[in-house]
Amino acid sequence: MTVPLWIWLSTIVAILGLLAFDYFFHIRKAHVPTLKEATFWSALYVGIALAFGVLVLIFGGGQMGGEYFAGYITEKALSVDNLFVFLVIMASFRVPREDQQKVLLFGIVFALIARTVFIFIGAALINTYAWVFYLFGLILLLTAGNLLKPEKHGDDEANNFIIRLAKRFLPTTDHYDGDKLFTVENGKRVLTPMLLVMVAIGGTDILFALDSIPAIYGLTQNVYIVFTATAFSLMGLRQLYFLLDGLLDRLIYLSYGLATILGFIGIKLILHALHENNLPFINNGEPVEVVEITTGLSLAVIIGVLIVTVIASLVSKAGKAQTAINNARRHAEAYLDLGYTADLGERERIYTQLVEEERNILTMEQKYRDKAKDIDAIRDKVALAHARHEEITAGQA
């Protein structure tokens, strides 16, 4: 189905309007979103995406609507996985809590731009070279295998090539100046870590696009559906970050679920490539008779795998213990880091969460607690956080 130009323009204006609303009414004033705020806006953006899907279903038909929902759900799941990396990057750069929203919105805007470029490049390649489906399928199968590797999100995510070049050849400082990108230090204009962390997230967004765009092209070749499903999956990602913060570690089987989904779509792409085959060294350049996977089956598999993945993660005793221990470590580090936030109420909230996580940990079986990585170092940090809190409390008395 050909989408009229006016619908394209209206959609782009609506998306830009949502981004502008996010900036002017939410992040211009640096603050830490409350759980209520993050929940409301996350639900609102998901509601907008679903409402748009219903419109596609009504005016575009069942095939087009099914492709949109399959693409949106897949891209949303991949976006949640991306939050793990964002968490590592912002922890590495010690981004103040109240300024993290600005970094995340930049990441969303950059991701939208990067993925839009890749979407149209992908469309041009598909329209010109049918064998590109083989390439996309291979990329997804390799990505699925990579997701199964342990420790896929290492601490060096933030130390990428661009950041190393910036620190080597440009004047930089290790100190934040609010949410400013540049500041003056010793009479010289220098880059702040705020700009560097945005560059780091922008760089990882490009890598994410290399995975996500082939994935959605495995579900639909309609460029409008690819664009809107991708764009709406990114909307609300900032609020979702604060909503899921502390729960991300709980999804211990998410990588397995995503690997299954990407592997499934990779196989679907290769089957489609065989069906459209024109490579001379495969079946003498003639199409191969294969079973093609329908959009309905794709949607069912994607939803089914995600449901099983989430439920398995939430009921896992090992996952609960790992989440509680990781949260205790993060809360202790945040409380001890004076640059984490200038908000005393936020600092006290972090300490309260630390105490609650400790109570949760004590109710868990010892064998799960002892399996945590660097458990002795984590205990030392927690003890130091308690000692610091006692000093502050004594000083206020």
Side-chain angles (χ1 to χ4, degrees):
M1 175 181 176
T2 301
V3 178
L5 178 61
W6 71 269
I7 293 182
W8 268 99
L9 294 176
S10 299
T11 304
I12 293 172
V13 169
I15 291 171
L16 292 177
L18 287 173
L19 290 172
F21 177 84
D22 227 9
Y23 177 77
F24 287 106
F25 292 96
H26 286 116
I27 71 165
R28 286 192 71 183
K29 182 179 179 181
H31 71 285
V32 180
T34 63
L35 180 61
K36 180 180 179 181
E37 178 185 345
T39 302
F40 174 79
W41 289 106
S42 295
L44 180 63
Y45 279 112
V46 170
I48 291 173
L50 295 179
F52 179 82
V54 171
L55 292 176
V56 173
L57 197 63
I58 293 172
F59 295 103
Q63 175 74 16
M64 195 170 176
E67 290 176 353
Y68 168 82
F69 281 112
Y72 171 75
I73 294 170
T74 300
E75 292 296 308
K76 198 68 174 180
L78 290 171
S79 296
V80 171
D81 189 52
N82 296 349
L83 292 181
F84 282 97
V85 180
F86 291 167
L87 187 64
V88 171
I89 290 175
M90 287 198 279
S92 299
F93 281 95
R94 298 172 62 243
V95 180
R97 182 73 166 169
E98 51 264 38
D99 294 325
Q100 290 180 3
Q101 290 199 89
K102 187 172 185 177
V103 174
L104 287 167
L105 184 60
F106 168 84
I108 291 169
V109 172
F110 191 91
L112 186 56
I113 294 171
R115 295 184 193 197
T116 299
V117 171
F118 279 106
I119 285 168
F120 286 102
I121 291 175
L125 290 173
I126 288 171
N127 290 332
T128 307
Y129 308 105
W131 55 262
V132 167
F133 286 110
Y134 287 113
L135 178 60
F136 281 3
L138 180 60
I139 289 173
L140 293 184
L141 291 175
L142 291 174
T143 302
N146 188 55
L147 282 170
L148 297 176
K149 294 179 181 178
E151 303 295 333
K152 70 185 181 71
H153 298 318
D155 291 336
D156 61 344
E157 293 282 0
N159 193 26
N160 61 37
F161 179 69
I162 297 175
I163 295 299
R164 292 197 298 271
L165 279 180
K167 288 184 175 180
R168 183 173 181 180
F169 295 106
L170 298 174
T172 62
T173 177
D174 293 329
H175 305 291
Y176 287 91
D177 185 6
D179 59 359
K180 295 179 181 177
L181 305 182
F182 298 90
T183 189
V184 177
E185 188 174 77
N186 298 325
K188 294 183 179 179
R189 187 175 175 81
V190 295
L191 306 178
T192 70
M194 182 63 69
L195 180 58
L196 295 180
V197 70
M198 287 183 174
V199 172
I201 285 182
T204 57
D205 278 332
I206 293 176
L207 297 178
F208 293 150
L210 294 176
D211 297 336
S212 68
I213 299 307
I216 194 168
Y217 268 122
L219 299 168
T220 178
Q221 283 81 61
N222 186 312
V223 180
Y224 180 76
I225 295 299
V226 172
F227 172 75
T228 52
T230 301
F232 281 114
S233 73
L234 294 171
M235 295 290 103
L237 193 60
R238 174 182 64 80
Q239 293 87 347
L240 190 63
Y241 173 88
F242 289 95
L243 181 61
L244 295 182
D245 185 21
L247 296 178
L248 286 174
D249 290 327
R250 183 72 172 272
L251 302 177
I252 61 174
Y253 300 125
L254 180 61
S255 60
Y256 297 101
L258 290 176
T260 301
I261 291 171
L262 292 181
F264 171 79
I265 298 175
I267 293 172
K268 182 178 187 293
L269 273 170
I270 291 175
L271 290 174
H272 181 74
L274 289 170
H275 185 75
E276 302 288 333
N277 178 65
N278 59 9
L279 294 179
F281 53 84
I282 297 178
N283 198 33
N284 296 319
E286 296 296 323
V288 181
E289 291 293 331
V290 293
V291 176
E292 286 215 73
I293 299 172
T294 64
T295 300
L297 178 59
S298 298
L299 185 57
V301 169
I302 292 166
I303 294 175
V305 169
L306 287 176
I307 289 174
V308 171
T309 298
V310 172
I311 292 176
S313 296
L314 294 178
V315 301
S316 168
K317 291 183 178 180
K320 291 178 181 178
Q322 186 64 52
T323 301
I325 292 170
N326 284 343
N327 285 342
R329 172 186 55 77
R330 292 193 301 108
H331 295 327
E333 289 176 345
Y335 187 77
L336 292 169
D337 184 4
L338 296 178
Y340 173 73
T341 180
D343 188 338
L344 295 179
E346 170 67 8
R347 189 174 296 281
E348 188 61 29
R349 184 188 70 84
I350 291 296
Y351 182 77
T352 301
Q353 288 187 330
L354 170 60
V355 174
E356 290 177 356
E357 290 294 357
E358 284 188 285
R359 292 198 190 102
N360 291 336
I361 293 169
L362 291 175
T363 64
M364 298 171 183
E365 295 180 45
Q366 189 70 37
K367 62 180 180 180
Y368 295 120
R369 285 187 266 163
D370 292 340
K371 285 182 180 179
K373 185 180 179 182
D374 300 327
I375 185 63
D376 291 332
I378 293 173
R379 285 170 176 155
D380 290 340
K381 287 181 180 177
V382 170
L384 188 57
H386 283 305
R388 179 69 58 81
H389 187 263
E390 289 179 1
E391 292 176 5
I392 295 174
T393 303
Q396 293 175 343

